[in-house]
Amino acid sequence: MQVLLTGSHQLTEFDQAEIQAYLKKYASQNQIHLLAYKSVENPVLTFFLENEALAPRLFLYTLAETEVMSEPFKTCFTYLTALGATHQVFGTYKTMLERSVYAHFYEQLIAKMDLVTCFYNGDKATDLIAVDLAKTAGVQSMIVDLPKTKKHLIHRNELDKFKLIN
């Protein structure tokens, strides 16, 4: 299954642990796609760095070429692609995108997906753009309710964490 991951901008330590747990359970059976534009990529990239054998299941998308990325991201992307991850560049160098441009990139990705998973901790409703676009495109999506700063919420079952949309 082709799964696009999106999420909130500011992730707590518990949020990142929740994302890692999701990947531990689902990355080995699915193709994981990620637009590296927000902080959700940090726990995802960390997971694949720690689980190198799964790198071929990772599809990375960036707005700009790796040459203009910060050194840690450049090194990470180079390493993961050497291990078999795929990297596609959209070819824009804007650091601040209008909603319509941002949505356009997501629309292109969502068209190829079976599922859009949004890790959401309630920080900004705009973090749900990909879910809204998936619903419009008729692509299954779900929201994973992140624990924020409440450690006990990590131990909820999936029925309490996952909300399927359409």
Side-chain angles (χ1 to χ4, degrees):
M1 184 165 21
Q2 305 298 320
V3 180
L4 175 64
L5 303 182
T6 69
S8 294
H9 290 282
Q10 297 179 342
L11 299 169
T12 68
E13 179 181 329
F14 301 130
D15 294 343
Q16 292 184 40
E18 190 72 58
I19 294 168
Q20 294 264 329
Y22 174 93
L23 288 166
K24 188 176 230 177
K25 187 168 184 175
Y26 297 107
S28 64
Q29 301 122 16
N30 298 290
Q31 303 294 323
I32 304 298
H33 298 257
L34 177 71
L35 174 59
Y37 180 66
K38 301 194 241 178
S39 61
V40 73
E41 64 263 13
N42 293 330
V44 175
L45 293 173
T46 298
F47 174 84
F48 281 98
L49 288 171
E50 292 171 353
N51 297 276
E52 295 174 339
L54 296 176
R57 297 193 159 279
L58 179 62
F59 294 78
L60 297 164
Y61 304 88
T62 54
L63 302 177
E65 299 287 341
T66 53
E67 292 80 33
V68 299
M69 292 180 185
S70 65
E71 195 55 46
F73 277 106
K74 185 188 303 187
T75 302
C76 177
F77 276 58
T78 302
Y79 185 68
L80 287 171
T81 54
L83 292 173
T86 302
H87 178 214
Q88 180 180 333
V89 179
F90 282 113
T92 184
Y93 294 90
K94 294 181 179 180
T95 55
M96 297 296 291
L97 297 176
E98 298 86 15
R99 180 183 168 102
S100 61
V101 174
Y102 181 64
H104 176 70
F105 291 133
Y106 266 122
E107 287 167 345
Q108 290 178 54
L109 294 175
I110 289 167
K112 301 185 275 184
M113 298 302 132
D114 300 306
L115 175 68
V116 173
T117 299
C118 180
F119 297 100
Y120 184 60
N121 66 10
D123 63 351
K124 291 182 184 176
T126 55
D127 291 329
L128 298 174
I129 291 172
V131 172
D132 295 336
L133 296 171
K135 186 174 182 178
T136 301
V139 174
Q140 182 70 56
S141 60
M142 80 173 170
I143 299 171
V144 178
D145 183 34
L146 295 175
K148 303 144 204 82
T149 58
K150 299 173 183 150
K151 184 178 182 177
H152 70 280
L153 293 178
I154 291 175
H155 305 291
R156 295 172 292 166
N157 66 45
E158 288 183 358
L159 293 174
D160 294 331
K161 293 179 195 179
F162 297 0
K163 177 184 176 187
L164 288 176
I165 311 296
N166 60 322

